[in-house]
């Protein structure tokens, strides 16, 4: 039985160090796992959400988040603001961080 993802963001730029891995990737939290996917749906990395550290870099723009998976730090460029209802675009970075914490049972 498959369940609906608890969090999905599309159009996310995913990078590792200074290298861009995809310009329009996906971030998904489903069945207790965080997945980073390319724009074609190929998996870049995934990990149990309890093992993921999501944070906001203090020096960066509002649209950026960091995700540490399996010892690798990824930079995620999401939206600065949630998209207007009905409009495409990634959700705000703070929504991603909240979703990881909620899925891992760490509260708000």
């Amino acid at each position: 039985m498959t369940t609906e993802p608890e969090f999905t963001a599309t159009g996310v730029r995913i990078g590792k160090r200074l290298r861009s891995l995809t310009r329009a990737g996906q971030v998904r939290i489903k069945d207790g796992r965080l997945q980073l996917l390319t724009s074609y749906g190929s998996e870049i990395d995934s990990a149990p959400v309890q093992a993921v550290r999501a944070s906001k870099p203090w020096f960066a723009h509002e649209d950026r988040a960091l995700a540490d998976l399996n010892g690798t730090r990824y930079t995620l460029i999401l939206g600065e603001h949630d998209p207007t209802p009905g409009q495409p675009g990634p959700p705000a970075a703070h929504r991603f961080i909240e979703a990881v914490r909620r899925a891992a049972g760490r509260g708000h």
Side-chain angles (χ1 to χ4, degrees), residues 1 17-19 36 44 70-71 75 77-78 80 85 89 91 100 104:
M1 181 176 113
R17 294 203 175 94
L18 296 174
R19 206 174 98 218
L36 302 179
I44 295 169
N70 303 314
T75 304
I77 302 177
L78 295 110
E80 194 164 327
V100 170

Side-chain angles (χ1 to χ4, degrees), residues 5-7 27-36 43 45-52 69-70 100 103-104:
E6 295 130 59
F7 177 86
V27 177
R28 184 183 302 151
I29 297 173
K30 183 177 178 181
D31 298 330
R33 289 189 73 78
L34 174 74
Q35 294 178 296
L36 302 179
E43 188 172 284
D45 205 346
S46 73
V49 77
Q50 286 87 356
V52 173
L69 282 80
N70 303 314
V100 170

Side-chain angles (χ1 to χ4, degrees), residues 3-94:
T3 57
E4 287 295 307
E6 295 130 59
F7 177 86
T8 303
T10 56
V12 179
R13 184 175 290 196
I14 301 171
K16 186 165 64 172
R17 294 203 175 94
L18 296 174
R19 206 174 98 218
S20 177
L21 300 175
T22 182
R23 297 171 62 97
Q26 295 179 46
V27 177
R28 184 183 302 151
I29 297 173
K30 183 177 178 181
D31 298 330
R33 289 189 73 78
L34 174 74
Q35 294 178 296
L36 302 179
L37 306 167
T38 67
S39 54
Y40 301 107
S42 301
E43 188 172 284
I44 295 169
D45 205 346
S46 73
V49 77
Q50 286 87 356
V52 173
R53 216 176 96 233
S55 59
K56 176 103 187 65
W58 61 271
F59 55 86
H61 294 283
E62 285 296 307
D63 62 352
R64 292 169 197 259
L66 297 174
D68 291 316
L69 282 80
N70 303 314
T72 303
R73 173 168 286 176
Y74 295 94
T75 304
L76 309 176
I77 302 177
L78 295 110
E80 194 164 327
H81 306 286
D82 287 334
T84 309
Q87 295 297 310
H94 70 88

